[in-house]
């Protein structure tokens, strides 16, 4: 009798969760249906999470640099000091926060999501979402040179995982919800729902299985609906006013796009090597994490403080911003860098017939506005009547100055991104890849216009193509790169050059760096995540699910007669492990090894296990999936693989994985799909 009042006094969310969980356990709502429903909810939450994340970045930026901008306008040297010290303060706090509460929230996030899907049945701690949104917001807001997409992918994935765990869904459905959360994050961040679906399937899940697409699509759609109502882009693409660009099947321009694809592939491979090489170098030179965060943070701030904020040629929007004097952007190498990307995408040559007619703010002043005494009021009036143009139409004699401003950014952005993450910052590498591609493409376009103007297009077109090419090379996700560039620019007219350059860049980058920027981080930790399109049914089945835990062992001194006896007692095990006195695995004896002994003239009593054992056999870990195990079976042509845990001297044998059991499980998984 007393239980009912207590239950009635329980909070409504707890009662609702308990009721839904009981309904799910009774099977009233099938797991697949509930997964679809939860995917829609996760999409909404991830959409609002992306909006909140943007506001956190803006708040931190305003807090750290708002006063600095006012000091800059007054010509005070304190502005430079604020720029120098802000990254160090932000990164130091973030390094402490992540090390204390959620180490997996450090760095760029997406690899941790991939690992959770491939190894941990989609399990992500709910606190990761909270720590990640704070840590990345502070890192970016204080001037760290990283992107927003990695954090929001991890935040969305954590929300999806938490929903699946709350309602006790199967491991398969939790993984789908994690992927749905990732898709929602990309969709809400870039106003790119299609790219969110493809990115999640191609990069996070590693497959386009039909049964997972519906929840992922629904989450991506609901997240973008939230973005359209309250997000920063609303109904506009992330980079607007690019409708004038066109390829038009120009054969004379196509070779230049292919050359850019080659350069972008090299740049992508260089970015990957720089990212992880910097991590190794800084940990070796600065082993103390506090010293590392402060020293690298100061270095990032110093580079940002000395770099020219404004490019040589300004758009109407940039000139209004400069003349109004209310705020200045972060230095180009710092922060997300979308201002630089936007500038690069809008570079047009003066003879382009498609360019916008509103050239720059100075032209308006020449037309009579110079007579106005209050420039700020005039700027407000013009902004109220017209959408100021982002287009930058430069004079040919100013091309070289634009190149001098752009080219250093091609090298500085990868270096500063690598330093930010190596110092303990939290943020993504997708936006830096876009930055690298845009500045590389724009620089290449300027060179083409200087040397071969009749065979080239505006530098802004090359910036679009460069973005897609570098992202494709860095992530090894060609489809994702093509779609996200299309959706971010809203420009389908240059899709053919983007496709050609992205495909070529992916091949070049893979040649120099076989693993993409996300998978490289995992492989460096000894976690080689393998996926297969026709074997995706096995990517969620772990070695621990199939291995046998009770198995016979042999001693090194056992002779052939003892070995034969054990083999006859265990006919299903093709290879028998030989264990030392210390309990460690020495080797395995295969059936063919035993047959050679029996076919020889040597007495079985004169041959012991050490004589015929295959030493240092290839072993697998319980947390690997069966696709990886199938690769290892073929590498040594064995029927049995030892399963070990631990590393070095702490390694110990915990089971055996039989090839026959793997094939049997594969058949079961395939039957369950049909």
């Amino acid at each position: 009798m007393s239980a009912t009042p207590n239950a009635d006094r329980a909070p409504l969310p707890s009662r609702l969760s308990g009721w839904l969980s009981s309904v799910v356990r009774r099977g009233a709502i099938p797991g697949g249906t509930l997964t679809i429903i939860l995917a829609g909810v996760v999409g909404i939450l991830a959409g609002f999470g992306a909006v909140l994340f943007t506001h956190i970045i803006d708040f931190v930026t305003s807090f750290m640099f708002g006063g600095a901008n006012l000091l800059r306008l007054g010509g005070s040297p304190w502005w430079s000091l604020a720029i120098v010290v802000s990254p160090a303060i932000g990164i130091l706090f973030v390094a402490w926060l992540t090390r204390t509460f959620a180490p997996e929230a450090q760095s760029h996030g997406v690899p941790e999501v991939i690992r959770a899907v491939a190894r941990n049945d989609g399990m992500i701690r709910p606190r990761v979402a909270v720590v990640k949104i704070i840590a990345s917001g502070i890192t970016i807001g204080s001037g760290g040179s990283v992107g927003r997409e990695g954090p929001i992918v991890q935040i969305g994935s954590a929300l999806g995982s938490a929903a699946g765990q709350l309602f006790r869904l199967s491991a398969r459905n939790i993984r789908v919800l994690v992927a749905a959360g990732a898709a929602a994050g990309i969709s809400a961040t870039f106003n790119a729902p299609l790219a969110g679906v493809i990115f999640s399937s191609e990069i996070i899940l590693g497959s386009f299985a039909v049964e997972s697409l519906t929840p992922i699509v629904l989450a991506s759609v609901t997240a973008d609906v939230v973005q359209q109502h309250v997000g920063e882009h609303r109904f506009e693409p992330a980079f607007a006013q690019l409708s004038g660009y066109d390829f038009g099947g120009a054969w004379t321009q196509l070779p230049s796009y292919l050359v850019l694809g080659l350069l972008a592939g090299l740049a992508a491979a260089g970015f990957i090597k720089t990212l992880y090489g910097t991590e190794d170098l800084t940990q070796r030179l600065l082993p103390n994490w506090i010293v590392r965060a402060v020293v690298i943070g100061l270095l990032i701030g110093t580079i940002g403080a000395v770099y020219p904020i404004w490019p040589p040629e300004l758009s109407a929007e940039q000139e209004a911003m400069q003349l109004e004097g209310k705020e200045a952007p972060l230095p180009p190498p710092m922060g997300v860098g979308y201002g630089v990307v936007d500038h690069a995408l809008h570079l047009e040559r003066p003879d382009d017939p498609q360019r916008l007619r509103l050239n720059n703010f100075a032209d308006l002043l020449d037309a009579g506005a110079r007579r106005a005494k209050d420039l700020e009021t005039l700027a407000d009036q013009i902004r109220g009547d017209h959408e100021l143009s982002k287009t930058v139409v430069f004079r040919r004699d100013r091309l070289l100055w634009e190149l001098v401003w752009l080219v250093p950014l091609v090298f500085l952005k990868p270096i500063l991104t690598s330093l930010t993450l190596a110092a303990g910052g939290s943020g993504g590498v997708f936006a830096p890849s876009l930055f690298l591609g845009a500045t590389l493409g724009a620089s290449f376009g300027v060179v083409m216009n200087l040397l071969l103007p009749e065979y080239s297009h505006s530098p802004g077109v090359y910036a679009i193509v460069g973005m897609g090419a570098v992202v494709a090379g860095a992530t090894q996700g060609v489809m994702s790169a093509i779609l996200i560039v299309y959706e971010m620019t809203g420009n389908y007219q240059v899709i053919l050059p983007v496709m050609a350059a992205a495909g070529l860049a992916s091949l070049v980058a893979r040649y120099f760096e076989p693993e993409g920027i996300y998978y490289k981080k995992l492989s460096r930790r000894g976690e080689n995540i393998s996926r297969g399109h026709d074997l995706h049914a096995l990517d969620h089945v772990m070695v621990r699910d199939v291995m046998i835990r009770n198995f016979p062992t042999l001693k090194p001194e056992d002779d052939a007669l003892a070995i034969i006896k054990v083999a006859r007692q265990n006919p299903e095990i093709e290879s028998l492990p030989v264990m030392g006195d210390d309990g460690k695995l020495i080797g395995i004896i295969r059936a063919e090894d035993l047959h050679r002994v029996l076919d020889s003239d040597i007495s079985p009593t004169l041959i012991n296990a050490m004589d015929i054992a295959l030493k240092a056999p290839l072993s697998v870990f319980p947390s690997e999936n069966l696709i990886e195990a199938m690769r290892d079976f073929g590498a040594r042509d064995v029927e049995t693989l030892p399963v070990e845990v631990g590393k070095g001297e702490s390694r110990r044998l915990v089971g055996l994985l039989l090839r026959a059991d793997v094939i049997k499980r594969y058949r079961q998984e395939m039957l369950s799909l049909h």
Side-chain angles (χ1 to χ4, degrees):
M1 295 295 291
S2 61
T4 303
N6 291 334
D8 292 339
R9 287 195 297 269
L12 180 60
S14 299
R15 283 184 283 160
L16 182 60
S17 173
W19 175 78
L20 285 175
S21 297
S22 65
V23 168
V24 174
R25 286 195 297 271
R26 292 197 301 267
I29 302 178
T33 303
L34 184 59
T35 300
I36 295 173
I37 296 172
L38 290 176
V41 176
V42 168
I44 294 172
L45 294 176
F48 282 109
V51 174
L52 175 62
F53 185 42
T54 301
H55 286 312
I56 290 175
I57 294 173
D58 292 342
F59 171 78
V60 175
T61 303
S62 177
F63 178 79
M64 299 291 281
F65 298 103
N69 280 321
L70 297 177
L71 291 172
R72 174 184 173 273
L73 295 171
S76 170
W78 290 103
W79 175 79
S80 296
L81 180 61
I83 294 293
V84 170
V85 301
S86 291
I89 296 172
I91 293 174
L92 179 62
F93 176 77
V94 167
W96 169 81
L97 180 70
T98 53
R99 291 171 69 91
T100 304
F101 297 103
E104 60 268 46
Q106 205 171 55
S107 194
H108 48 108
V110 175
E112 305 304 330
V113 176
I114 295 173
R115 184 186 184 279
V117 170
R119 293 284 172 82
N120 293 342
D121 293 333
M123 298 294 181
I124 301 175
R125 295 191 297 168
R127 71 165 61 178
V128 171
V130 178
V131 174
K132 190 70 177 181
I133 199 169
I134 297 173
S136 297
I138 293 174
T139 299
I140 298 170
S142 62
S145 187
V146 286
R148 296 183 302 185
E149 88 300 326
I152 196 59
V153 164
Q154 196 169 12
I155 292 165
S157 297
L159 292 172
S161 178
Q165 294 176 58
L166 178 64
F167 293 99
R168 298 178 176 85
L169 295 181
S170 66
R172 184 191 295 265
N173 288 330
I174 292 178
R175 280 190 294 271
V176 171
L177 283 177
V178 169
I186 291 291
S187 176
T189 302
F190 297 125
N191 189 19
L194 281 175
V197 173
I198 300 301
F199 178 89
S200 184
S201 300
E202 189 175 27
I203 303 296
I204 303 299
L205 280 182
S207 75
F208 290 88
V210 175
E211 62 270 16
S212 63
L213 279 179
T214 299
I216 293 174
V217 168
L218 182 60
S220 187
V221 169
T222 54
D224 199 46
V225 170
V226 171
Q227 190 283 138
Q228 290 178 350
H229 283 281
V230 297
E232 62 176 321
H233 304 304
R234 299 297 177 96
F235 299 97
E236 295 293 328
F239 301 109
Q241 298 186 16
L242 293 173
S243 58
Y245 292 150
D246 192 7
F247 170 57
W251 288 103
T252 56
Q253 296 174 12
L254 189 58
S256 63
Y257 295 126
L258 297 178
V259 173
L260 178 57
L262 291 172
L263 294 176
L266 294 173
F271 183 22
I272 298 173
K273 292 182 182 296
T274 301
L275 183 67
Y276 296 109
T278 302
E279 180 181 316
D280 294 338
L281 179 64
T282 54
Q283 288 182 354
R284 187 169 64 251
L285 297 180
L286 302 169
N288 183 281
W289 68 270
I290 296 177
V291 175
R292 186 163 62 244
V294 172
V295 170
I296 294 178
L298 292 174
L299 177 61
I300 293 170
T302 302
I303 294 173
V306 300
Y307 204 87
I309 287 184
W310 300 105
E313 294 290 331
L314 302 178
S315 67
E317 185 179 71
Q318 289 171 320
E319 288 216 29
M321 196 178 187
Q322 189 181 57
L323 291 173
E324 285 173 348
K326 289 184 178 179
E327 61 175 334
L330 285 177
M334 297 171 66
V336 177
Y338 282 157
V340 176
V341 174
D342 205 35
H343 173 80
L345 295 179
H346 289 89
L347 289 175
E348 293 190 10
R349 58 188 184 185
D351 58 340
D352 193 332
Q354 298 294 333
R355 68 181 177 88
L356 300 176
R357 300 304 178 192
L358 187 59
N359 291 334
N360 56 49
F361 197 74
D363 293 338
L364 294 175
L365 296 176
D366 289 338
R370 289 189 187 276
R371 293 192 301 270
K373 295 181 179 180
D374 191 346
L375 292 177
E376 183 174 338
T377 302
L378 176 62
D380 289 338
Q381 290 173 348
I382 293 177
R383 179 171 285 107
D385 296 334
H386 303 281
E387 181 183 9
L388 291 178
S389 174
K390 296 174 178 287
T391 304
V392 180
V393 183
F394 48 78
R395 301 190 305 271
R396 197 164 296 280
D397 60 343
R398 299 286 292 173
L399 279 173
L400 192 57
W401 290 109
E402 187 70 32
L403 193 64
V404 169
W405 188 80
L406 281 172
V407 169
L409 295 176
V410 176
F411 300 94
L412 284 177
K413 189 63 174 183
I415 293 172
L416 263 62
T417 298
S418 304
L419 288 171
T420 301
L421 295 175
S426 177
V429 295
F430 198 97
S433 299
L434 292 172
F435 185 107
L436 173 59
T439 51
L440 174 67
S443 301
F444 180 79
V446 171
V447 171
M448 286 296 299
N449 275 271
L450 281 170
L451 301 180
L452 299 168
E454 65 275 14
Y455 297 104
S456 62
H457 207 308
S458 289
V461 176
Y462 290 100
I464 296 175
V465 175
M467 281 201 311
V470 171
V471 170
T475 65
Q476 295 299 323
V478 179
M479 288 295 295
S480 304
I482 294 171
L483 272 178
I484 204 165
V485 168
Y486 160 61
E487 289 193 288
M488 290 182 72
T489 61
N491 194 310
Y492 188 76
Q493 286 71 28
V494 295
I495 195 71
L496 293 180
V498 172
M499 291 172 64
L504 193 56
S506 179
L507 287 176
V508 173
R510 191 183 294 270
Y511 178 81
F512 291 101
E513 189 60 65
E515 295 173 298
I517 199 165
Y518 299 131
Y519 287 87
K520 179 75 172 180
K521 181 178 180 181
L522 297 173
S523 67
R524 281 163 50 87
R525 297 195 308 225
E527 302 181 52
N528 296 303
I529 307 295
S530 297
R531 264 84 176 263
H533 294 292
D534 55 342
L535 293 177
H536 69 269
L538 292 182
D539 64 4
H540 70 283
V541 183
M542 304 300 156
V543 169
R544 60 175 175 266
D545 300 327
V546 182
M547 71 181 190
I548 58 174
R549 301 174 186 273
N550 298 316
F551 50 89
T553 60
L554 299 171
K555 298 178 180 179
E557 62 272 14
D558 286 344
D559 60 23
L561 294 178
I563 298 172
I564 293 170
K565 180 180 179 181
V566 174
R568 286 176 175 173
Q569 291 173 347
N570 301 274
E572 74 283 359
I573 300 178
E574 294 282 343
S575 303
L576 299 172
V578 180
M579 309 294 291
D581 295 335
D582 57 358
K584 290 190 171 55
L585 178 68
I586 296 175
I588 59 172
I589 296 178
R590 300 169 295 178
E592 55 265 34
D593 300 326
L594 197 55
H595 289 156
R596 282 197 297 270
V597 172
L598 296 176
D599 293 340
S600 68
D601 297 331
I602 304 174
S603 172
T605 58
L606 299 178
I607 298 176
N608 59 35
M610 282 294 292
D611 295 330
I612 60 175
L614 175 66
K615 308 297 192 304
L618 189 64
S619 62
V620 294
F621 293 99
S623 59
E624 293 185 30
N625 64 40
L626 292 192
I627 295 180
E628 297 166 316
M630 290 294 289
R631 175 201 62 197
D632 294 334
F633 276 121
R636 294 296 292 268
D637 192 25
V638 293
E639 297 298 319
T640 304
L641 285 173
V643 182
E644 293 185 294
V645 296
K647 295 181 179 180
E649 293 299 319
S650 63
R651 290 174 72 99
R652 58 187 180 87
L653 186 69
V654 294
L656 297 176
L657 183 67
L658 309 183
R659 188 197 292 259
D661 290 344
V662 174
I663 295 174
K664 180 181 177 181
R665 183 58 180 265
Y666 173 69
R667 290 173 179 167
Q668 292 173 350
E669 293 293 326
M670 292 303 294
L671 289 173
S672 68
L673 295 176
H674 298 286

